[in-house]
Amino acid sequence: MKHFALRAAGDIRARLARVDFAPSRAGRVVACEGLLMQVEGLEAAVGALVEIELGDGLAIAEAEVIGFRADRLLLMALGPAHVAPGAPAWLRGRADRVRVGPALFGRVTGARGEPLDGRGPLRTLDNWPLAGRPLPALDRAEVTQALPTGVRAIDTLLTLGRGQRVGLIAGSGVGKSVLMQQLARGAEADSVVIALVGERGREIGAFLGQLPAAALARAHVVAVPADAAAPLRVRGVLRAFAIAEWLRSEGRHVLLIVDSLTRVAHAQREIGLAAGEPPGRRGYPPSALDLIPRLVERAGNDRAGGGAITALMTVLADGDDLVSDPVVDTARGVLDGHILLDRAIAGRGRFPAIDLSQSLSRTMADCADPAHLAAAARFRRELTLVEGNRDLVAMGAYSRGQDPKLDRALDRADLLESFLAQAQAERFGFADSLSALLAEWGGE
């Protein structure tokens, strides 16, 4: 036991020796209330990392600066921290850069870049700002090139474009994770960056286990489980965006998958409330909802470099509420489209459970030719007739012959359902999917 204590103390001294600080940059903890700690005698910018010596003198806790009041820093711990009054605190250094490089491909890391896959350290070559390098509005290219995803319903009826920002809106248990796996496997992109933020640890492992080796080889995964501190959850999604931006600067087309935007907003809500921000709608302070457009605007096409970030971000509808949920409302207002998964459709056993009437791709008109758009419109009309009269037909209140268009749609109801359905392991080529749509709905 004595040997272990001496070794632990030596490790702490070695870590402290690596921290570059002057006596004026040392402080002490003067208050700890719930998630919030206050340190005086230390100067640091918001976002900096601080190390705090715990009461036993043999361990160190890390915390992030989330604000300041007068001459006191406001900190949130990044892990378990049994802090005693007057505990020493030191500035660890800058934390606003992300290490990037080809070694990221095929690896899984945490919010701070630490490897999580047991394959040893990462040898990165360069760094990128955590806050990103936003593209000026006039340097963004229009979304005009279709992005094949391998999912027939999306490719033909909700055609996505390269550089588009799309929301996948769903409640729990309606097939969201499976659809994301299909998109990660089948989308035609040079690289894939996946941010799994706020998910249960079991779900993170299950998600990665369903991806084939070829899909993982071109991907980098940032995984931050639900029990991680709020600053780490926010830092995780910022890090994923930073890596995607670096890849775009290299001229690559990147598919960025974020699961989920809602849990990132929840994390920022914890930070904002702890820092003293006033709560707003549903308890969200201004910084929580402001984070959503700041993230969304980091995606898009680079006119000069030719690279692109196509962002697919999941949004959890709290209690399937699509009207008053602030995160859903804010996301729909800034995204270039949304795909809604419906619980009733999932209950009928059709997956992906896309509600076509409630889903929209705002860039489809710029990525599809007139024949494609016309066929998709005919498909939508027939599906709307079937869905709108489903209860009437079930009650026997409709007699055939009253509406020829409805009769034709009802005769093709099974065809409509089978066209929208797709097994988890299936992948349809874009050309084949379009040919199937045109063959059945390409003419009156």
Side-chain angles (χ1 to χ4, degrees), residues 420-431:
L420 293 171
Q422 183 170 333
Q424 180 176 354
E426 284 185 302
R427 183 188 185 280
F428 294 103
F430 188 88

Side-chain angles (χ1 to χ4, degrees), residues 83-135:
V83 180
W90 296 274
L91 179 63
R92 178 178 176 182
R94 294 177 59 181
D96 59 349
R97 312 294 290 183
V98 174
R99 300 293 295 173
V100 294
L104 293 175
F105 291 117
R107 301 298 302 272
V108 182
T109 59
R112 290 171 285 184
E114 70 279 15
L116 300 179
D117 50 14
R119 295 170 52 191
L122 285 161
R123 295 185 178 180
T124 50
L125 303 176
D126 201 353
N127 58 66
W128 194 267
L130 184 67
R133 297 174 182 169
L135 290 175

